[in-house]
Amino acid sequence: MTARRPVITSFGFAGLFPVLITVLMAALMLLPIGSGAANIAMPHLVIISVFYWLSSRPLLMPYGACAILGFLLDLWLDVPMGLNMVLLLLTRLFVLNQLKHYKGRSRLVHWAIFTVLTLGLYILSWLIVSTVYGTLWSVKPIALQWGVTAFSYAPVAFVLGRMRRMVL
Amino acid sequence: MWLYMVLAVVLLGLEATGQGLPSQLRAYANDFVSPVLRLLEQPIRAVQAGLERIAGVGDIYLENQTLRDENDRLRQWREAAMQLSRENERLRQMLKVPGREVPPAATARVIGVGGGAFERNVLISAGISDGVRRNLPVVDESGVIGRTIQVGRWTSRVLLVTDLNSRIPVRLERTGDLAIAEGQNEAFLMLRFLPEEIVIREGDRLLTSGHGGVFPPDLPVARVSEVGEGYVRLDPLGILGKLDYVRVLDYHAVPDEDAIALPPKNGEAGEQEQQP
């Protein structure tokens, strides 16, 4: 009996593309884009990318990859360590359970589902951060970032879709 | 999946209990990402510079005229400032008052920003190898922008004055009254603990008071932008929207512990006094 190989390896280098492009998204989130202000809400490109790849090629974004991506983001963004790990793992859990209901539906449906999912994730992250720091965190910046992230899903997913057709 | 989830919860637990491990890990993780950020920012900076150049061509004549006028005014101010500086130095020497200039530990470029909703910080291209340590003040050409909170080998993270965890002891320039400028994770700050009887006006400047030991006194921090019922809103003077190069100041509020001479033990005092 031979040991089961992870599906991600059966695509060769192309199988790593979703993870690599998501790491690039994480780095992009750190760049001083636009005015370079830390006061400008940056869309959560990593959640967008992870949701997109899980909805289109779930096998190429395993739990381990979600955990590592979340860990890297926690290190680089200076948020409580473990926060983005939890968010990305829950994203995968959600998509694997709900994909059968929206697979093959229009982009608008995907967008709506992403918006609802991220609303839940941001509420959870607000609860986690408030618990970790022992103080009720301001809701406004979190609501702003949720809005920016939800709005950015369509254009970012469009670009990722073009990339997917070229590589996979 | 549950293994990863347990790991995440353990990490969150370490954060909640204030363990130093996550902070140390982060400081060195920034060193690894900094080369990637430097590479990625090149095209972005080039595009930004190009756009600014295109936008500036239209009003170049008007801007040139304004700059000439400003240059004339600044020349006069420079002469006055130099005269005052010389006089100040002479008086300091006469009265034996120690100087208050704080030398820079490093000048660094902003190579990354905290793009999340929970923090307001930037990553700069100077670390331990450049003489940067934790809790050093960071300024730009207009005022205080924050302090270093994590220091890696080649990079450091600067907590901006607008972060929710930022509290800076300040004094009102006009009256000298003390207060605290508190970050809100927004573009503005709030003024706290100012005595109620103090009349504060829009446009008043706030400088560091020097209390707390992190910031030297008299650095510009913010300007009062709005005075409302029970609150005072401030606009930071540091240009947080266009951070590029920043200076890390090598400020010691008190001498290092090693530099403080230990009190002599019993018996040693007499011996020391007998030495020639």
Side-chain angles (χ1 to χ4, degrees):
Chain A
M1 191 176 151
T2 54
R4 241 180 87 204
R5 289 174 65 209
V7 182
I8 197 167
T9 59
S10 61
F11 285 81
F13 178 75
L16 292 174
F17 183 73
V19 176
L20 292 178
I21 202 75
T22 312
V23 172
L24 183 71
M25 293 279 183
L28 281 178
M29 282 178 70
L30 294 174
L31 282 178
I33 292 174
S35 64
N39 290 315
I40 290 178
M42 169 67 103
H44 203 310
L45 297 174
V46 172
I47 285 188
I48 294 176
S49 181
V50 166
F51 179 84
Y52 174 81
W53 290 110
L54 284 171
S55 299
S56 54
R57 295 294 177 96
L59 296 175
L60 299 184
M61 190 59 78
Y63 278 118
C66 291
I68 291 169
L69 286 165
F71 182 67
L72 287 177
L73 207 55
D74 290 332
L75 283 178
W76 293 341
L77 280 184
D78 196 33
V79 291
M81 212 174 274
L83 176 70
N84 282 294
M85 273 177 89
V86 170
L87 298 185
L88 297 186
L89 289 170
L90 288 177
T91 302
R92 190 169 202 274
L93 191 65
F94 173 87
V95 173
L96 289 194
N97 282 298
Q98 303 301 320
L99 187 59
K100 55 182 177 285
H101 300 300
Y102 68 88
K103 193 173 174 65
R105 305 282 292 273
S106 71
R107 285 177 189 161
L108 205 62
V109 174
H110 282 236
W111 196 358
I113 289 167
F114 176 79
T115 303
V116 174
L117 167 68
T118 45
L119 177 64
L121 292 177
Y122 270 100
I123 291 171
L124 178 68
S125 65
W126 177 78
L127 283 170
I128 291 175
V129 172
S130 297
T131 308
V132 168
Y133 290 124
T135 176
L136 279 182
W137 218 253
S138 170
V139 177
K140 198 176 148 193
I142 297 160
L144 184 69
Q145 206 199 15
W146 168 69
V148 172
T149 303
F151 183 78
S152 306
Y153 178 76
V156 176
F158 176 78
V159 173
L160 290 174
R162 295 280 145 187
M163 288 180 178
R164 179 169 66 89
R165 277 176 208 159
M166 279 193 291
V167 179
L168 291 167
Chain B
M1 186 255 182
W2 295 112
L3 176 70
Y4 297 122
M5 198 58 96
V6 168
L7 184 64
V9 172
V10 168
L11 288 171
L12 284 168
L14 285 175
E15 285 276 3
T17 51
Q19 302 289 322
L21 181 69
S23 179
Q24 285 168 4
L25 271 177
R26 272 199 198 99
Y28 289 100
N30 295 334
D31 286 344
F32 288 102
V33 78
S34 67
V36 181
L37 291 176
R38 280 172 211 253
L39 193 72
L40 287 174
E41 76 166 352
Q42 295 302 325
I44 290 167
R45 293 220 186 254
V47 170
Q48 274 181 343
L51 289 174
E52 279 170 17
R53 204 168 293 157
I54 290 166
V57 166
D59 50 8
I60 203 160
Y61 177 78
L62 193 67
E63 195 178 340
N64 195 22
Q65 189 61 40
T66 314
L67 286 173
R68 276 176 204 276
D69 295 345
E70 194 178 340
N71 202 21
D72 288 341
R73 277 201 310 277
L74 287 175
R75 274 207 194 101
Q76 292 167 13
W77 274 109
R78 183 171 173 269
E79 286 306 316
M82 284 176 72
Q83 193 181 344
L84 284 170
S85 175
R86 281 193 296 270
E87 189 181 329
N88 193 20
E89 191 58 35
R90 269 204 314 274
L91 291 171
R92 275 183 190 282
Q93 281 175 1
M94 281 167 64
L95 296 170
K96 300 201 183 306
V97 177
R100 297 175 83 172
E101 293 77 23
V102 183
T107 300
R109 191 162 200 181
V110 173
I111 55 170
V113 299
F118 300 105
E119 75 283 331
R120 292 287 183 273
N121 57 56
V122 292
L123 206 59
I124 61 169
S125 60
I128 293 170
S129 58
D130 304 287
V132 177
R133 302 183 314 278
R134 272 194 77 205
N135 281 329
L136 289 186
V138 183
V139 298
D140 69 356
E141 65 273 23
S142 308
V144 174
I145 67 156
R147 64 183 164 90
T148 54
I149 50 168
Q150 290 160 12
V151 183
R153 186 92 189 134
W154 303 288
T155 58
S156 307
R157 193 177 289 277
V158 177
L159 186 81
L160 295 179
V161 291
T162 45
D163 190 280
L164 200 64
N165 291 310
S166 171
R167 312 268 190 284
I168 302 181
V170 290
R171 73 180 168 78
L172 203 56
E173 188 178 37
R174 186 168 50 81
T175 64
D177 290 294
L178 300 174
I180 300 284
E182 193 179 84
Q184 302 291 309
N185 271 10
E186 305 269 0
F188 57 85
L189 313 172
M190 296 297 257
L191 194 65
R192 306 275 187 219
F193 308 115
L194 187 74
E196 284 182 9
E197 64 274 13
I198 306 300
V199 179
I200 193 160
R201 302 182 199 135
E202 285 180 16
D204 278 350
R205 281 204 333 160
L206 291 134
L207 311 176
T208 49
S209 68
H211 296 97
V214 175
F215 295 95
D218 298 333
L219 293 178
V221 177
R223 190 183 297 280
V224 176
S225 60
E226 190 181 331
V227 182
E229 280 294 315
Y231 72 91
V232 178
R233 191 178 278 196
L234 313 171
D235 281 340
L237 287 171
I239 309 169
L240 302 183
K242 285 189 177 176
L243 288 178
D244 193 358
Y245 285 97
V246 295
R247 267 186 311 146
V248 184
L249 300 181
D250 191 13
Y251 177 64
H252 306 258
V254 288
D256 290 336
E257 281 180 24
D258 297 342
I260 300 171
L262 292 170
K265 291 175 185 170
N266 290 341
E268 285 181 2
E271 288 169 22
Q272 283 173 353
E273 281 169 7
Q274 286 165 12
Q275 286 172 358

